[in-house]
Amino acid sequence: PPIFSLGYHQCRWNYRDEADVYAVHAKFEELDYPYDVLWLDIEHTDGKRYFTWDSNTFPHPVEMQKTLSDQGRRMVTIVDPHIKRDDNYYIHKEATAKGLYVKDRIGSKDYDGWCWPGSSSYLDFTSEHVRSWWADQFAYDRYAGSTPSLFTWNDMNEPSVFNGPEVSMQKDLRNLAGVEHREWHNLYGLLFQGATASGLVRRNAGGNVRPFVLSRSFFAGSQKYGAIWTGDNKAEWSHLAAAAPMLLSLNVGALSFVGADVGGFFGDPDAELMTRWMQAGSYQPFFRGHAHHDSKRREPWMFGEETMIRLRKAAIARYALLPFWYTVFYDAWQTGMPVMRTMWMQYPRTEELFPVDDQYLIGSDLLVKPIAAPGVTETSILFPSSDTWYDVDTLQVISAQGKADGVVSMKVASNIDKIPVYQRGGSVIPRKLRLRRSSRLMKSDPYTLYVALDSDQAAEGILYMDDEETFEHERNASFGIAKFVASFEGGDSFIYNKVTLGAGWADQAVGERMLERIVVMGVKKRPKQIQLVGSASIDFEFDATANVAVLKKPGVNVLSDWKLRILY
């Protein structure tokens, strides 16, 4: 996915008008609170006519999007599959004339069902020419008021029909090929999302910008087209607790870009629930806050300054880890291994972990235990004993390596300011630590490597990089992969980087990817000197109590080969 889609998304049904959008955006700016996308639900349209804008509340959509884009943000608007049956509505008029709608059970008339706009018809997305026509509707000269910084949310695409049996279309309705709905019901949302993604690619000259499409309905293969979420949840602790098992189930099914609405869609979370949900959401692949129009406003500052600071801390932790998230998504793209992993997937011989679904791994290297109950100040975690684990906040060993294929159950502190997250010994995790207001503004920021040594005083990890927006990584092999290897044991101790550069990677990109520090956890003794091979010594600090070494300004970038020698 494009990297902006891995940032924080702010959504509500509905932001009322342009003034509301500008006010929300300005408050994020004022508070230095990072976010990447502001969302508009169905009320932004002209009477639920998709691809339109309400001229009273959103009279200047291009200028609105440009204001957000100029400050590094994008916008998402909702586009659903039910089309208002209005002969003056250009989408319906053309779809009717071209015969693109699902038919009744006889196969002669366009199906008429009831959804948000009232009387509605449904495009037959099982037909290739209908999908192609739909993709064409996202062209900038068709979707008036859209810009390259506008992306799409597909909802109600099960498909939902309010007056239908089981709140969907009757099973004996027919597509344009005469096949009954019962045969293609589960494909409808998949094909709708795929057609939308095609439109977002097709609208740009050369088709070289990655799309972002969120879908509620999905099927095997939906991971090719965008993100999905778990639907209309509630602002209740039980729904927060249910989120992790649901998202893990989807990841087991190879659907990695998934999330649950932070705060709960229905109802009003209190400050504690909102804090715990924001903490949990910052460690799920798709990270969006969303709320029903009957819910109280719940932007991060609505709970008071103390809570806002906690919510911002969770968002900042997410943004610092964007290079790691992006790398784990690269791994998922290459291997199929999910981004959010059950414990048993990484430790398949450890039976004690088979039923565990309230803690999980991001990739293979971060263990996360969301707090999903009120009043919690301490929680239990099962640490796989075949690895060493470090607290990401204190950088201290929390559980040392022991027997293979076992677990260590430990009580850990988890007051309202703490979500328990641990880095696996033997791993290297990249972060960007400069506070920015969006992912776009972080693009040229330097990296910090967090090296967690295992029991052999060794670690390794990768960092995947490309331009974060286009298909150049596929088309022209414009990408770079840095592999970091560290050893702090014995006479030849070192940290080195070995780079794989795609053939199309530009020289100027290499110059932008600097490394500003290396934090090494679990160092047993203070080095005498650290040298960049072929150059001068570099500054470092060593905390003997914490066993942490911090290497400062090594003067290298992550897309060049280099080696640091550790001298004792």
Side-chain angles (χ1 to χ4, degrees):
I3 201 166
F4 80 83
S5 64
L6 302 181
Y8 178 62
H9 300 247
Q10 180 64 42
C11 185
R12 180 176 178 81
W13 180 20
N14 204 84
Y15 287 113
R16 297 183 298 268
D17 50 31
E18 289 177 5
D20 198 8
V21 166
Y22 288 134
V24 170
H25 171 71
K27 195 66 175 179
F28 275 102
E29 287 281 299
E30 175 190 335
L31 296 172
D32 286 336
Y33 195 117
Y35 89 98
D36 261 79
V37 191
L38 196 62
W39 292 52
L40 296 178
D41 211 317
I42 53 177
E43 311 303 337
H44 82 278
T45 63
D46 176 15
K48 315 299 190 298
R49 297 169 180 86
Y50 302 108
F51 302 102
T52 70
W53 302 83
D54 186 322
S55 60
N56 293 315
T57 54
F58 294 95
H60 309 106
V62 171
E63 292 84 345
M64 176 178 62
Q65 292 162 58
K66 185 177 186 302
T67 297
L68 268 61
S69 179
D70 286 348
Q71 298 184 45
R73 276 51 175 255
R74 274 80 167 182
M75 178 164 272
V76 163
T77 51
I78 198 167
V79 179
D80 288 352
H82 48 266
I83 304 301
K84 183 177 179 66
R85 292 178 60 84
D86 173 3
D87 291 339
N88 294 317
Y89 174 30
Y90 76 100
I91 294 286
H92 173 67
K93 186 177 181 179
E94 189 170 322
T96 302
K98 292 180 178 291
L100 306 181
Y101 286 133
V102 171
K103 305 300 180 184
D104 62 13
R105 60 186 297 271
I106 306 300
S108 59
K109 294 181 179 179
D110 292 343
Y111 172 64
D112 185 349
W114 196 265
C115 205
W116 294 124
S119 180
S120 305
S121 286
Y122 294 72
L123 292 158
D124 176 18
F125 288 102
T126 68
S127 300
E128 193 282 331
H129 75 281
V130 177
R131 297 196 297 273
S132 182
W133 177 86
W134 179 258
D136 287 341
Q137 306 316 303
F138 289 89
Y140 301 120
D141 60 351
R142 294 283 291 173
Y143 186 178
S146 66
T147 73
S149 66
L150 186 69
F151 295 86
T152 306
W153 173 15
N154 288 163
D155 196 9
M156 310 298 287
N157 51 336
E158 287 72 26
S160 292
V161 182
F162 293 157
N163 63 338
E166 301 174 285
V167 202
S168 190
M169 294 189 288
Q170 293 90 330
K171 292 187 176 76
D172 56 359
L173 299 185
R174 297 184 181 273
N175 67 6
L176 297 179
V179 180
E180 290 186 338
H181 173 219
R182 73 182 79 243
E183 303 293 341
W184 42 265
H185 173 81
N186 290 339
L187 293 173
Y188 192 85
L190 163 73
L191 296 171
F192 176 50
Q193 185 185 19
T196 300
S198 293
L200 295 184
V201 173
R202 190 182 297 182
R203 67 183 181 170
N204 296 300
N208 198 23
V209 178
R210 285 178 244 170
F212 170 75
V213 186
L214 178 72
S215 177
R216 188 168 76 180
S217 180
F218 59 91
F219 194 62
S222 289
Q223 64 269 26
K224 293 184 291 185
Y225 303 121
I228 60 174
W229 94 107
T230 57
D232 296 345
N233 53 2
K234 294 182 179 180
E236 297 177 359
W237 287 99
S238 62
H239 281 233
L240 171 56
M246 293 174 74
L247 299 176
L248 288 169
S249 295
L250 292 168
N251 272 266
V252 168
L255 293 141
S256 277
F257 200 3
V258 297
D261 281 340
V262 169
F265 178 62
F266 294 108
D268 299 309
D270 61 17
E272 183 184 14
L273 177 55
M274 191 68 190
T275 299
R276 291 306 198 185
W277 216 318
M278 189 69 77
Q279 291 170 345
S282 67
Y283 288 96
Q284 65 189 34
F286 175 58
F287 183 24
R288 179 180 78 156
H290 187 33
H292 190 272
H293 58 66
D294 287 335
S295 298
K296 296 176 183 177
R297 294 294 288 255
R298 63 166 86 140
E299 289 75 25
W301 49 88
M302 300 301 293
F303 299 88
E305 184 175 8
E306 184 178 359
T307 297
M308 185 280 295
I309 291 171
R310 292 189 179 112
L311 302 181
R312 185 174 61 183
K313 178 184 175 183
I316 289 171
R318 170 59 167 238
Y319 276 79
L321 279 167
L322 282 182
F324 172 71
W325 281 101
Y326 202 62
T327 299
V328 177
F329 267 96
Y330 163 77
D331 184 46
W333 177 55
Q334 287 289 295
T335 69
M337 279 293 284
V339 169
M340 184 176 174
R341 300 178 189 173
T342 57
M343 298 298 298
W344 57 259
M345 185 169 287
Q346 204 64 40
Y347 298 92
R349 294 183 176 87
T350 306
E351 292 186 19
E352 296 95 325
L353 296 175
F354 290 0
V356 174
D357 60 7
D358 62 351
Q359 65 180 61
Y360 54 86
L361 295 160
I362 303 299
S364 60
D365 298 336
L366 280 185
L367 191 162
V368 182
K369 173 68 180 285
I371 303 303
V376 172
T377 58
E378 189 179 66
T379 191
S380 294
I381 295 183
L382 294 178
F383 290 100
S385 57
S386 56
D387 285 309
T388 299
W389 298 92
Y390 295 83
D391 186 301
V392 299
D393 296 315
T394 67
L395 308 182
Q396 297 299 288
V397 171
I398 189 74
S399 177
Q401 184 172 344
K403 66 175 183 177
D405 305 333
V407 298
V408 175
S409 179
M410 293 187 64
K411 293 278 190 181
V412 299
S414 54
N415 64 27
I416 191 64
D417 291 304
K418 172 74 171 175
I419 176 173
V421 182
Y422 304 92
Q423 183 173 344
R424 182 182 62 82
S427 67
V428 179
I429 287 182
R431 286 179 169 87
K432 289 186 175 182
L433 299 183
R434 299 186 183 183
L435 174 59
R436 305 293 189 189
R437 297 171 186 173
S438 72
S439 63
R440 181 187 288 172
L441 302 178
M442 299 169 63
K443 191 166 186 175
S444 298
D445 283 354
Y447 296 90
T448 293
L449 300 183
Y450 282 77
V451 179
L453 298 176
D454 62 16
S455 59
D456 294 324
Q457 291 282 280
E460 65 177 53
I462 70 166
L463 168 61
Y464 172 79
M465 293 155 284
D466 57 29
D467 67 16
E468 304 174 348
E469 296 181 6
T470 75
F471 290 105
E472 286 299 305
H473 61 295
E474 294 181 358
R475 293 185 176 188
N476 296 307
S478 294
F479 65 85
I481 303 171
K483 182 176 181 180
F484 308 106
V485 179
S487 174
F488 276 66
E489 185 75 3
D492 186 23
S493 296
F494 55 80
I495 303 173
Y496 73 75
N497 183 32
K498 182 66 176 176
V499 176
T500 301
L501 290 180
W505 194 265
D507 290 339
Q508 61 266 28
V510 175
E512 292 175 353
R513 307 281 178 155
M514 298 304 294
L515 180 63
E516 68 176 347
R517 76 177 63 81
I518 304 173
V519 178
V520 188
M521 295 168 269
V523 180
K524 290 182 178 179
K525 59 181 179 180
R526 179 186 180 89
K528 291 182 179 178
Q529 188 180 25
I530 300 178
Q531 291 180 337
L532 175 61
V533 174
S535 186
S537 297
I538 64 170
D539 291 336
F540 70 94
E541 294 179 352
F542 180 70
D543 185 333
T545 303
N547 293 325
V548 173
V550 179
L551 288 58
K552 302 178 178 180
K553 297 181 179 180
V556 295
N557 72 56
V558 295
L559 285 176
S560 297
D561 291 352
W562 45 261
K563 186 172 185 178
L564 302 175
R565 192 170 301 281
I566 317 299
L567 303 175
Y568 290 102

